[in-house]
Amino acid sequence: DRELGQANVRQGLESSLVQLSQWFSEEMAALSSSWTALEQLINPGWQWAMVRSASSPQVQWQSKGTLVQLEGLSQPLVLGVAFRETEPSTYEIWIELYPSPQQQTLPRGLRLEILASDNTVVMTVESEEINPYLRLNLAAESQDQFTVLLQYKPSAAHFQQTFMV
C-alpha cells in the first residue's frame, strides 16, 4: 500500500510539472492550455519581450504566461516565464509578475520566491511600494528543477508552480 501511495504522489507531482524544454516545440500548446503567449496576457504598454530581444537579438526567447487569482485581490495577476539557451544545456530564465491588463501597478504585499528542489529559498522579491512588475533572473541547466512561489501576505493566499528546465 505504501509503495502504491508514493507512486501516486510522484505521478501527481510530475503531472503538475511544467517542462520548459517543451516550450521550444509545438507540443507545449497541446500540453497546457493554462500557459499562453505572455504578450496576450499583459498590458500592451509592457514591451519586455522587445527589451529581451534587444539585449540579445541573436538568441530566441521563449515566453509564456498564466493568470493567477489570489484570494484578497480583485484582479488576477500575470505570472510570466521567459527563457533562452545561452550555451548548450545552460539557460537564462526570467520569472516575471505583472498586474492584470486593467491595472497599472502591482498591489503591495506580494512576494515572489524561487525555491530550489529541496524547498530552500534561492531568491525573493517583494512589492513594497508601487511596482509596475517584479522580476527574478536565474541561470539553470538542463534537468534542473525549481519552484516559483507567489504569496499575497495580507490574505496568506499563495500560488506555487514547479518547473523543470
Side-chain angles (χ1 to χ4, degrees):
D1 276 339
R2 182 169 285 180
E3 286 179 23
L4 183 61
Q6 287 176 338
N8 288 341
V9 167
R10 194 172 300 117
Q11 287 168 350
L13 288 173
E14 286 172 8
S15 67
S16 67
L17 187 70
V18 173
Q19 296 193 346
L20 296 177
S21 58
Q22 292 176 335
W23 287 3
F24 282 119
S25 69
E26 293 302 314
E27 299 168 40
M28 185 61 194
L31 286 172
S32 176
S33 58
S34 66
W35 289 89
T36 187
L38 182 58
E39 292 73 21
Q40 293 177 3
L41 297 176
I42 59 177
N43 189 312
W46 299 109
Q47 297 299 329
W48 297 118
M50 290 181 176
V51 170
R52 280 193 285 273
S53 53
S55 69
S56 51
Q58 72 279 13
V59 180
Q60 180 68 37
W61 283 91
Q62 299 292 323
S63 63
K64 302 276 184 191
T66 191
L67 292 175
V68 176
Q69 183 67 59
L70 293 178
E71 183 183 331
L73 294 177
S74 60
Q75 296 285 333
L77 302 167
V78 178
L79 178 65
V81 178
F83 80 107
R84 66 181 180 148
E85 192 169 22
T86 55
E87 296 174 25
S89 301
T90 304
Y91 298 86
E92 179 181 4
I93 302 169
W94 291 9
I95 306 298
E96 303 166 333
L97 185 67
Y98 297 97
S100 71
Q102 295 81 16
Q103 307 290 316
Q104 296 298 311
T105 59
L106 292 170
R108 289 182 189 190
L110 288 170
R111 177 188 289 225
L112 185 62
E113 294 181 335
I114 295 179
L115 310 177
S117 55
D118 64 358
N119 284 331
T120 57
V121 176
V122 178
M123 285 183 230
T124 185
V125 63
E126 285 188 38
S127 62
E128 295 171 356
E129 296 300 320
I130 304 294
N131 293 98
Y133 68 96
L134 295 176
R135 176 186 297 143
L136 292 171
N137 298 357
L138 68 146
E141 296 182 3
S142 285
Q143 306 304 306
D144 280 356
Q145 223 173 294
F146 64 93
T147 299
V148 173
L149 178 62
L150 172 60
Q151 300 174 68
Y152 183 52
K153 294 190 296 185
S155 70
H158 71 278
F159 170 84
Q160 185 172 322
Q161 178 67 64
T162 301
F163 295 88
M164 179 181 277
V165 180

